[in-house]
Amino acid sequence: MSLRSALSLLLGAFLAVAVAASDAPAPPAPLDADKISRAAGVPATVAADGVVRIGWARTDVVVQVDGSPLPPFAGLGSWAAFKETPAGVMMMGDEVVFQDEVSPAMDAAFAAGLEVTALHNHFFFDEPKVYFMHIGGMGDAERLAAGVRSVWDAVKRVRAERPRPAQGFGGGTPQHGEIDAQALEKIIGHGSRTRDGVVKIVIGRQGEMHGVTVGGSMGLATWAAFTGSDALASVDGDFIMTAEEVQPVLRALRQGGIHVVALHNHMIGDTPPFYFVHYWGKGPAAELARTLARALAAQRHAGGG
């Protein structure tokens, strides 16, 4: 190969790299920690990798775990982290909530356009009971930070009204009576079984576990159990959901006044990955059933169920 040919090849390669570099997306600009701090109403810190974090230590309620006081730094801190991406700012966080704070905090998250991605405990033998609600979102950093602030403000309003966490949801207590199973079946659109005064509706779903097809009898099921009477019943149960179905189901349950008490996975190695929401509600049996029917409809609209 002549010197001229070699130089021509090198020049061509250089130009190709330069064109590719010019077409590549520009790296995200650094986040403005001051704007996030102002929107959230708390100081923000910047990590070495550029992630901006805000936090709120739960010093307002003394918590004991296994009889020992738990300092907030040992795991009682609410936080949110923000990272710039080519698609916008990503936010994820973990919020410390007591039982009577979960529904107000979740409602505030949804009102702010955030997602709720998990709800579970971290401790055993804790007093009062502590739960952790994980949230997330994408978009404008200040809007996301303001959304986190609205969640924290909702929690603070609960504690301002009642310094110690409540021991119950309030309202009447369902008493053993008659529940019209056929009326519930008609509303929800599925059959039921009755035992010991409990009307239970189970809706199976198929998936795979480690390459083996499994269904409702192996635990892949949505179900609801009604106790009490037609006038005042309680309902508890499970929704099985794929990832895209989670937010519509949660929102539908909360819009109907049913409390979300857990959100997590049950299996490892399932295809598609399934998530489960556990819930509890009280009220006229037919109204509870209509809320569940709306949640099922929202799930179907999201592509499954």
Side-chain angles (χ1 to χ4, degrees), residues 219 221-225 236-240 262 264 266 276-279:
T222 291
W223 61 270
D236 69 293
D238 244 347
F239 265 81
I240 180 173
H264 53 202
H266 284 189
F276 293 80
V277 58
H278 301 258
Y279 58 85

Side-chain angles (χ1 to χ4, degrees), residues 154-297:
V155 169
K156 292 174 182 178
R157 283 193 294 271
V158 174
R159 290 284 65 83
E161 295 174 2
R162 184 174 47 248
R164 292 295 297 175
Q167 298 297 309
F169 286 115
T173 300
Q175 303 297 321
H176 180 74
E178 295 294 327
I179 295 180
D180 188 340
Q182 290 185 335
L184 300 185
E185 291 176 356
K186 184 176 181 180
I187 294 169
I188 295 177
H190 292 271
S192 70
R193 291 184 300 154
T194 300
R195 182 189 302 171
D196 301 327
V198 178
V199 177
K200 191 170 187 178
I201 294 173
V202 180
I203 307 166
R205 186 165 185 173
Q206 278 202 333
E208 289 189 355
M209 285 287 295
H210 305 292
V212 178
T213 299
V214 293
S217 59
M218 285 289 287
L220 275 67
T222 291
W223 61 270
F226 295 83
T227 58
S229 66
D230 284 332
L232 181 59
S234 64
V235 66
D236 69 293
D238 244 347
F239 265 81
I240 180 173
M241 310 160 292
T242 58
E244 64 270 17
E245 300 162 11
V246 172
Q247 303 307 312
V249 169
L250 293 181
R251 287 173 175 268
L253 292 174
R254 286 303 307 136
Q255 286 167 1
I258 288 180
H259 301 283
V260 174
V261 299
L263 173 61
H264 53 202
N265 65 309
H266 284 189
M267 293 90 68
I268 295 176
D270 45 331
T271 305
F274 286 115
Y275 302 86
F276 293 80
V277 58
H278 301 258
Y279 58 85
W280 172 267
K282 291 191 297 186
E287 289 185 12
L288 296 172
R290 281 190 280 271
T291 293
L292 296 180
R294 287 191 291 269
L296 287 166

Side-chain angles (χ1 to χ4, degrees), residues 25-66:
L31 286 171
D32 189 327
D34 289 337
K35 288 184 178 180
I36 291 174
S37 177
R38 286 194 294 271
V42 295
T45 61
V46 183
D49 58 0
V51 170
V52 176
R53 290 177 62 95
I54 56 175
W56 171 40
R58 292 303 303 266
T59 58
D60 53 327
V61 177
V62 176
V63 174
Q64 289 190 339
V65 176
D66 195 21

